[in-house]
């Protein structure tokens, strides 16, 4: 990674990545998740506090990786899974993290909004609300 990518990979807190096509956004996001997981593993090794699986599930459930298209979300998911598969062979805690990747939400912006509505996170909207999509807005 270049210097700017390293800043994004190693940051703490939320981030919005905005860059042109082919600039490495997916790479940076995947490596950021690896960085966060590595930090969890290191902290757990220093001071084990409960089940690592519970810790990683809690932390992964707080992460949303979102993009505009289903194709890009699929690519992020595949790359994330592949990267964790590489790391899981080196360590039992990486194995636990890799097994719990499905807890981490990788989706489109509209998929995330749909999850908020159907999950009851917007109390003023019915979870039964019908979501209508205009065909020209749907990605291929």
């Amino acid at each position: 990674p270049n210097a700017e990518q390293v800043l994004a990979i190693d940051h703490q807190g939320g981030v919005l990545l905005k860059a042109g096509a082919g600039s490495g956004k997916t790479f940076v996001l995947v490596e950021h998740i690896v960085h966060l997981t590595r930090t969890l593993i290191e902290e757990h090794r220093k001071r084990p506090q409960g089940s690592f699986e519970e810790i990683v599930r809690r932390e992964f459930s707080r992460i949303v990786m979102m993009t505009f298209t289903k194709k890009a979300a699929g690519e992020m998911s595949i790359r994330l899974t592949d990267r964790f598969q590489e790391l899981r062979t080196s360590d039992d805690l990486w194995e636990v993290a890799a097994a719990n990747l499905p807890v981490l939400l990788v989706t489109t912006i509209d998929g995330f909004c749909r999850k908020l509505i159907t999950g009851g996170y917007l109390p003023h909207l019915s979870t039964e609300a019908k979501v209508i999509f205009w065909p020209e807005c749907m990605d291929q």
Side-chain angles (χ1 to χ4, degrees), residues 10-140:
D10 293 345
H11 83 280
Q12 296 297 321
V15 69
L16 171 66
L17 290 179
K18 183 178 176 184
S23 61
K25 293 181 298 294
T26 300
F27 167 78
V28 167
L29 288 170
V30 167
E31 289 306 311
H32 178 62
I33 301 303
V34 168
H35 168 74
L36 293 175
T37 305
R38 186 174 286 122
T39 301
L40 285 175
I41 289 171
E42 290 169 359
E43 289 173 2
H44 186 73
R45 287 201 198 293
K46 288 178 190 172
R47 289 177 298 282
Q49 295 180 343
S51 159
F52 182 69
E53 182 169 15
E54 289 175 14
I55 292 166
V56 79
R57 288 181 69 81
R58 181 186 66 235
E59 294 304 316
F60 282 2
S61 72
R62 296 176 179 174
I63 297 171
V64 177
M65 293 174 70
M66 108 176 75
T67 186
F68 291 102
T69 67
K70 290 178 186 174
K71 182 179 177 184
E75 182 66 24
M76 282 196 303
S77 185
I78 289 167
R79 289 199 202 174
L80 189 62
T81 300
D82 289 350
R83 184 70 170 105
F84 271 68
Q85 292 304 314
E86 291 171 13
L87 294 165
R88 73 184 248 290
T89 59
S90 63
D91 186 299
D92 59 329
L93 294 181
W94 278 106
E95 180 78 36
V96 171
N100 285 282
L101 268 179
V103 175
L104 192 152
L105 183 59
V106 181
T107 188
T108 58
I109 294 167
D110 64 301
F112 181 65
C113 292
R114 189 176 313 114
K115 182 175 178 73
L116 292 176
I117 293 168
T118 60
Y121 296 101
L122 303 171
H124 60 286
L125 292 178
S126 166
T127 58
E128 303 297 318
K130 189 169 188 169
V131 179
I132 300 172
F133 293 96
W134 296 108
E136 61 269 15
C137 296
M138 299 297 287
D139 69 282
Q140 316 295 307

